């Protein structure tokens, strides 16, 4: 029995010097796992935002396609409404400031403007006015003919108002305006 060797079995806790190395490896592993989870969460958020943007683009595309289909089915009443709006927009593009400023700055105190009728499609302006006498009317006509914004200024009609006191002259002038 001398062939048996000595076997030392000690199941007790043995302290070794490898404990700091294991803690360091465990810390690095936990940090790497936390970083991976953070990256995964960021990737999911980016994908969700991209999906929302794609859905919004698809809705806009579908809306514009359905809007184009609606435009193809314009009723005659809507078409007339659009034409009326275009007429109003054309009238608003008139050089009102220049025209009214020129008419207000006229040095004729004895001329009263009764109406101003623009015809935007022809760039034409119709004025109806009254003057004390024919010479004042002709002076006013001459003043308008000298204005750079107006051209083709003509006296279209005149009439002496005998029934009114002082017998004023009512006259109508037509002129074309130029856009500067």
């Amino acid at each position: 029995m001398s062939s048996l060797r000595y076997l030392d079995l000690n199941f007790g806790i043995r302290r070794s010097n490898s404990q700091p190395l294991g803690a360091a490896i465990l810390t690095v592993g936990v940090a790497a796992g936390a970083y991976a989870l953070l990256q995964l969460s960021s990737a999911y958020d980016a994908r969700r935002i991209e999906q929302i943007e794609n859905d919004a683009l698809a809705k806009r595309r579908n809306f514009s396609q359905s809007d184009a289909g609606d435009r193809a089915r314009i009723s005659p009443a809507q078409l007339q409404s659009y034409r009326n709006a275009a007429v109003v927009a054309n009238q608003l593009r008139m050089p009102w400031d220049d025209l009214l400023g020129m008419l207000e700055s006229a040095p004729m105190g004895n001329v009263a403007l009764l109406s101003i009728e623009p015809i935007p499609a022809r760039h034409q302006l119709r004025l109806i006015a009254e003057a004390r006498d024919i010479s004042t009317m002709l002076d006013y006509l001459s003043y308008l003919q000298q204005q750079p914004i107006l051209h083709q200024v003509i006296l279209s009609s005149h009439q002496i108002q005998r029934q009114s006191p002082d017998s004023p002259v009512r006259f109508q002038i037509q002129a074309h305006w130029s856009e500067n």
Side-chain angles (χ1 to χ4, degrees), residues 6-17:
Y6 176 70
L7 192 59
D8 185 22
L9 296 173
N10 185 2
F11 293 109
I13 299 174
R14 224 187 329 166
R15 298 211 165 227
S16 70
N17 293 345

Side-chain angles (χ1 to χ4, degrees), residues 111-133:
V111 176
L113 279 175
L114 302 177
S115 79
I116 301 171
E117 181 185 342
I119 305 170
R122 291 188 265 165
H123 289 238
Q124 192 174 1
L125 188 67
R126 241 181 245 157
L127 304 172
I128 298 176
E130 278 189 359
R132 285 199 190 262
D133 52 28

